[in-house]
Amino acid sequence: DYMFNPNKITKILGATFILVSSNAALAATAPGTVSVTVQNTFNLTETQVLDFGTIRAKNDNTNVANFASLIITPNGTATPAISSASVGTVATITSLSTPTMAIFTVDSAAPFTDLEVTFPPNFTLTTTGVPANAAVFNILNASWKGYVVGGTDDGTTIVDGETMQTDAAGAVVLQVGTSLDTDILGATTTSGYVDQAYTGTYTMTVDY
């Protein structure tokens, strides 16, 4: 026999209502944004000019192997040196004033990151108002040296193609020295050096 139970029906209906209400809920959505900024560049600034000062200079027009040098080390000292394939070369350089090393400052680079240093290729220092074959000064790629100030490589001497590491702020300082050599063109030079300024330009390259 079937007996009517109103309480049972109420409970079933109540459960059914709750289930339908849950399935009908709506999801909320919102747009999102993603961004990134690339900074592959950094600042490289010459803060002190490479200056060999005032010198007395004479080249050897008789032998292409004979030349004199004035060497500025990366810590700022200058040392005259003679390179010669024979005894008694006439090539000479004498420093008459205090030379200065070059100083380059890096900032805004990535922190604790290696930067490769490329020193310039061979180039000459020339002057104006002299014959076409007058003596010049030479600076060779192999003579460049750098001294790192700051960063994890502080106090390290580097040469062409080596690296220096930035500090926590992405900065580092490079002191630079090189050798000024008298002309080695030998007999093809028609005159020696004159009393005026000799200049040249170069490019320092620092890269990730």
Side-chain angles (χ1 to χ4, degrees):
D1 294 336
Y2 176 76
M3 295 183 66
F4 176 73
N5 188 338
N7 291 333
K8 186 175 181 180
I9 293 175
T10 301
K11 291 178 180 178
I12 292 173
L13 290 175
T16 302
F17 175 77
I18 293 172
L19 179 62
V20 172
S21 176
S22 176
N23 286 341
L26 297 176
T29 63
T33 302
V34 177
S35 66
V36 63
T37 300
V38 175
Q39 181 180 306
N40 287 330
T41 59
F42 54 86
N43 299 319
L44 177 65
T45 307
E46 182 189 49
T47 56
Q48 181 167 289
V49 176
L50 181 67
D51 186 358
F52 285 91
T54 302
I55 62 173
R56 171 183 177 261
K58 184 177 182 181
N59 67 306
D60 188 345
N61 285 337
T62 64
N63 190 324
V64 295
N66 293 342
F67 65 95
S69 304
L70 180 62
I71 302 168
I72 298 179
T73 61
N75 63 3
T77 60
T79 306
I82 298 292
S83 298
S84 176
S86 62
V87 177
T89 176
V90 298
T92 184
I93 290 181
T94 304
S95 183
L96 303 177
S97 67
T98 303
T100 59
M101 62 190 173
I103 300 178
F104 290 88
T105 301
V106 171
D107 66 77
S108 302
F112 302 118
T113 301
D114 284 342
L115 301 176
E116 181 179 1
V117 177
T118 303
F119 289 113
N122 302 349
F123 68 97
T124 60
L125 277 68
T126 60
T127 192
T128 58
V130 294
N133 291 327
V136 298
F137 292 101
N138 299 296
I139 294 182
L140 306 181
N141 168 262
S143 70
W144 292 90
K145 288 184 174 60
Y147 182 82
V148 182
V149 179
T152 57
D153 296 321
D154 183 56
T156 302
T157 299
I158 61 173
V159 297
D160 187 42
E162 293 188 330
T163 61
M164 58 183 180
Q165 191 171 111
T166 59
D167 61 16
V172 67
V173 174
L174 183 66
Q175 299 177 178
V176 176
T178 189
S179 173
L180 181 75
D181 302 333
T182 60
D183 208 334
I184 55 174
L185 294 179
T188 60
T189 56
T190 57
S191 66
Y193 299 107
V194 296
D195 289 358
Q196 58 191 41
Y198 287 71
T199 59
T201 59
Y202 68 95
T203 300
M204 279 286 299
T205 303
V206 178
D207 198 1
Y208 285 120

